[in-house]
Amino acid sequence: GQTRGGKMNIRELREQAGLTQAQLAKALGGGETTIRNWEQGRAGERLQQLALLCLVLKCQPSDLLEVAPDKK
């Protein structure tokens, strides 16, 4: 798939996970519009800041964010 700067974009990752925009939005507790905006590069200030923070600190977003374990 296409990458931006050597990294996969949100749409490709979502599709690899077998999720629709609606399913991803529901899993995140948000709306499809948000997912669409992210996939079109309109990630918003907070997401861009997180990416920059990870670059500066040389870490992964998961190192900074507390995410509940998957309850499968």
Side-chain angles (χ1 to χ4, degrees), residues 9-47:
N9 66 32
I10 294 170
R11 184 179 126 217
E12 289 171 333
L13 292 168
R14 172 183 58 76
E15 289 174 347
Q16 282 184 5
L19 298 172
T20 64
Q21 287 180 341
Q23 290 168 324
L24 181 57
K26 183 177 179 181
L28 298 175
E32 285 182 67
T33 300
T34 300
I35 305 303
R36 245 187 323 276
N37 286 339
W38 288 351
E39 290 182 1
Q40 293 172 358
R42 295 187 297 252
E45 193 66 27
R46 287 184 283 173
L47 192 56

